[in-house]
Amino acid sequence: SQKIEQNSEALNIQEGKTATLTCNYTNYSPAYLQWYRQDPGRGPVFLLLIRENEKEKRKERLKVTFDTTLKQSLFHITASQPADSATYLCALEGETSYDKVIFGPGTSLSVIP
Amino acid sequence: DAGVIQSPRHEVTEMGQEVTLRCKPISGHDYLFWYRQTMMRGLELLIYFNNNVPIDDSGMPEDRFSAKMPNASFSTLKIQPSEPRDSAVYFCASSLRRYKQFFGPGTRLTVL
């Protein structure tokens, strides 16, 4: 069955460092991979989307890579700040309307001042 | 735009009661999604609509759950009868295409 795994443990990093979050998947060939941020008590917020034919995408301090051979995406936050502390979810999606969107379990990130 | 609106924000009910959750998507969005989130199972897609038509309801856990979208600006998720294991946060999301979804604030459901 389709499966998504993210960093199994919560991630704690020092302010100013680069945070790297991992998303691995099996039994799926996504056309798109997305990253969302979720704060406690709120719904997820869309951050970035990368397509299967793209290797890397950047937005301000965020960078996403997508390796369809390894079936893995890496999500980087450079110059991290305490305000970046949240849970980050990756989501896979196929090409057609009949392909279900699947979310990973999320990784909790804490940026320590 | 006010974003996706969900009501109620919190619902506490007793086992066996009917529960109706409501969602108003962002105007102009063609897709509407219902999700359930728990600590154990994470964020699960229950059902989604495209242009008010249900496309995939394979995530609906059982016949006690039903969803409707009578028009482009309103959707409901109904649980009848409710059970304690239905306790979770239910999110509604909408999007112009299937990706880049905009989530509502969620409804926290507690079934006693």
Side-chain angles (χ1 to χ4, degrees):
Chain A
S1 62
Q2 300 160 342
K3 190 174 180 181
I4 305 177
E5 293 181 333
Q6 296 188 241
N7 303 56
S8 57
E9 302 289 331
L11 195 59
N12 298 317
I13 65 165
Q14 207 70 34
E15 181 177 6
K17 301 292 186 183
T18 296
T20 298
L21 284 64
T22 304
C23 176
N24 294 295
Y25 59 93
T26 55
N27 297 324
Y28 203 103
S29 295
Y32 310 97
L33 190 146
Q34 306 175 69
W35 284 89
Y36 287 77
R37 167 184 173 141
Q38 186 172 23
D39 291 285
R42 294 179 176 268
V45 174
F46 172 82
L47 295 175
L48 277 171
L49 176 147
I50 187 165
R51 292 176 168 78
E52 61 176 335
N53 60 351
E54 297 176 313
K55 296 293 185 187
E56 183 179 299
K57 203 80 167 280
R58 291 175 185 261
K59 179 183 176 182
E60 297 172 353
R61 295 185 295 111
L62 309 180
K63 185 178 86 170
V64 174
T65 63
F66 192 11
D67 189 325
T68 55
T69 301
L70 291 179
K71 295 187 181 296
Q72 180 183 77
S73 174
L74 298 178
F75 177 78
H76 306 273
I77 306 175
T78 58
S80 60
Q81 304 166 1
D84 296 325
S85 299
T87 295
Y88 291 85
L89 305 162
C90 68
L92 306 182
E93 186 161 352
E95 186 63 53
T96 73
S97 296
Y98 298 95
D99 294 314
K100 191 183 296 190
V101 174
I102 304 174
F103 277 81
T107 297
S108 175
L109 173 68
S110 293
V111 180
I112 303 163
Chain B
D1 200 318
V4 175
I5 299 172
Q6 291 187 247
S7 65
R9 293 296 310 278
H10 302 273
E11 176 82 30
V12 180
T13 190
E14 293 190 346
M15 184 174 64
Q17 296 297 307
E18 177 179 296
V19 175
T20 300
L21 310 182
R22 297 172 176 79
C23 175
K24 176 178 170 54
I26 293 173
S27 177
H29 281 187
D30 296 332
Y31 288 88
L32 184 138
F33 306 81
W34 281 102
Y35 290 90
R36 177 173 67 177
Q37 188 173 41
T38 61
M39 288 294 293
M40 290 296 295
R41 300 176 67 89
L43 191 64
E44 301 175 281
L45 177 65
L46 299 177
I47 184 172
Y48 78 94
F49 297 81
N50 179 215
N51 293 321
N52 312 339
V53 176
I55 302 299
D56 185 347
D57 66 353
S58 60
M60 297 285 260
E62 44 197 277
D63 292 345
R64 298 184 297 106
F65 286 68
S66 62
K68 293 182 180 179
M69 192 165 185
N71 57 62
S73 59
F74 184 65
S75 177
T76 59
L77 178 68
K78 186 176 292 187
I79 308 173
Q80 165 65 14
S82 57
E83 297 182 3
R85 60 190 168 128
D86 301 331
S87 297
V89 180
Y90 290 81
F91 288 105
C92 174
S94 71
S95 63
L96 194 55
R97 297 176 181 82
R98 287 189 310 133
Y99 48 83
K100 195 176 179 180
Q101 296 176 25
F102 291 80
F103 283 75
T107 295
R108 181 172 295 276
L109 173 65
T110 302
V111 183
L112 303 174

